[in-house]
Amino acid sequence: MARLWAVLVAVWKAAQRDRKSLASFSGNNIFHLGFALLFLQDPGAFVFSAVLIAIVLFLPLSGDPLRKVPPERLALWPLEAGERRLLRMTPWLNPLLPLILAMLLWRKVTTGLALLLGGTFAVGFLAPRAGRGGGRRLFGRLPPFPGPLNQLIRKNLRELFSTLDFYCALLLAAPALFFQAGGRLPEEAVGPVTLVILLALSTCAQTLFGLDGEGGLTRYRLLPLRGWQVLLAKDAAFLMTAVAMTAALEPLGGLAGALMALAGGRRAAVQVDRRQARWRFQMGASFGASLFQMTLLVVAGAGTMFWTPLLIVPCVAVYAATTYWFGRMIDRQACAE
């Protein structure tokens, strides 16, 4: 039992560290948006952003703590068969499970809500196990794209799909598109929903190189590509995702906002070395940089939707200028090395 206890203590500590990293979302734009609106005396918006983040975090928080141990290392542990069976008690190391059971016993919580939370917990707990086969490469079968940037675009899409920002935006876009298709989304809500979807994705425009690991930008400089081409491959993944999520709402406003999100996040993406982690919310460079980026996004998107569609022209021009300028910066840094 001493060996089993030592394993359980180690798994608990690893799960605690993982939960702390999941809770690091204070540098994300959706949190900044709620905080800014709270400062403007709109507490409902802050509650909305907090609930949205909590919903997205629920699935990764529901995972089996034992999954933190590589299977190869687990097989090498000197445990007997009975001790390995007892290791199946690791779900109880997840604090969400006792909380859900307490809600089931609490009469003030409806059975339907408790069962919904329990079912979601089961999905988060079991889905990674089911995905160890063919589903493990779910995002590995992306369609090819024309041109020499094909593989880079596919890689960047896979990186974007492994961020919680993507699922936060998807959680907003999916019901909006459903109600829009049924004609039940109010006309006055189409524009604001489009902007909120873009804001949920916008932090990724500040962290274009954050998931490439140590020396990621250096490896790009070794490729036979110009700096603007590297940025274009990164931007293509972001733009395709943003346009797809807003196509049935305000496509032109969504494109304008996405272009300005990229332009506003250029300096942070190229000059600030801030490493990111997969299956986490992305962390922006600073509150000031995020506020500047969000302001550009909202002004461009709202102006295109509610003032004149011709505003897309200066948005494209600003985007092209920043791509060229910071692309040259990448080239100069490569020459300096």
Side-chain angles (χ1 to χ4, degrees):
M1 289 300 293
R3 292 176 298 185
L4 180 61
W5 179 252
V7 169
L8 291 176
V9 170
V11 170
W12 167 259
K13 290 181 178 178
Q16 285 291 94
R17 287 195 299 267
D18 190 60
R19 280 191 286 271
K20 287 180 180 179
S21 67
L22 273 170
S24 300
F25 52 79
S26 58
N28 190 271
N29 279 1
I30 199 68
F31 180 80
H32 286 156
L33 175 65
F35 186 80
L37 292 175
L38 177 64
F39 181 76
L40 295 175
Q41 299 183 348
D42 189 356
F46 180 78
V47 173
F48 171 77
S49 66
V51 170
L52 185 64
I53 291 172
I55 293 173
V56 175
L57 285 176
F58 192 87
L59 278 177
L61 283 173
S62 303
D64 183 0
L66 197 59
R67 289 205 335 266
K68 307 304 173 188
V69 183
E72 298 80 7
R73 186 176 301 174
L74 180 61
L76 294 175
W77 284 349
L79 299 175
E80 298 177 356
E83 291 174 325
R84 292 186 181 276
R85 284 193 294 270
L86 286 174
L87 272 181
R88 293 296 82 200
M89 67 183 291
T90 52
W92 291 101
L93 298 179
N94 191 313
L96 288 182
L97 184 57
L99 179 63
I100 292 173
L101 292 177
M103 292 179 66
L104 279 172
L105 299 175
W106 192 25
R107 294 182 179 180
K108 292 186 178 181
V109 177
T110 62
T111 305
L113 176 60
L115 290 177
L116 175 63
L117 292 175
T120 307
F121 176 87
V123 170
F125 187 85
L126 298 174
R129 296 177 177 277
R132 287 180 180 174
R136 189 177 183 178
R137 301 287 296 170
L138 176 63
F139 297 130
R141 299 181 180 180
L142 294 172
F145 299 97
L149 302 179
N150 168 41
Q151 295 300 334
L152 279 181
I153 294 175
R154 297 177 71 195
K155 177 198 69 78
N156 295 328
L157 276 173
R158 287 193 291 269
E159 286 181 351
L160 183 60
F161 294 161
S162 68
T163 67
L164 293 185
D165 303 68
F166 169 77
Y167 296 97
C168 188
L170 187 63
L171 187 64
L172 292 166
L177 296 177
F178 175 78
F179 287 116
Q180 178 75 343
R184 289 179 288 175
L185 186 67
E187 186 66 28
E188 60 273 14
V190 174
V193 170
T194 301
L195 294 177
V196 175
I197 292 172
L198 293 175
L199 287 167
L201 275 175
S202 61
T203 313
C204 297
Q206 293 188 49
T207 60
L208 295 177
F209 299 93
L211 291 175
D212 288 321
E214 186 176 0
L217 196 55
T218 302
R219 289 193 294 272
Y220 281 115
R221 295 173 188 139
L222 298 176
L223 296 175
L225 297 172
R226 301 293 299 274
W228 66 267
Q229 291 176 298
V230 174
L231 289 175
L232 191 61
K234 292 282 185 183
D235 297 347
F238 182 87
L239 289 173
M240 283 190 290
T241 303
V243 170
M245 288 188 177
T246 59
L249 300 171
E250 286 283 358
L252 196 61
L255 177 59
L259 289 172
M260 296 312 293
L262 289 166
R266 276 285 185 254
R267 182 183 176 280
V270 175
Q271 294 185 323
V272 179
D273 183 14
R274 192 179 181 92
R275 298 178 194 173
Q276 308 292 325
R278 284 173 170 78
W279 307 111
R280 300 292 185 271
F281 279 104
Q282 303 299 284
M283 307 293 287
S286 65
F287 179 73
S290 295
L291 187 60
F292 174 72
Q293 181 195 34
M294 290 190 293
T295 302
L296 285 180
L297 186 160
V298 171
V299 170
T304 305
M305 289 185 285
F306 303 122
W307 183 40
T308 172
L310 294 177
L311 195 60
I312 189 69
V313 177
C315 290
V316 172
V318 171
Y319 165 77
T322 57
T323 302
Y324 175 74
W325 177 265
F326 284 96
R328 286 191 61 189
M329 186 177 295
I330 293 175
D331 294 334
R332 287 196 297 268
Q333 291 172 349
C335 293
E337 293 179 357

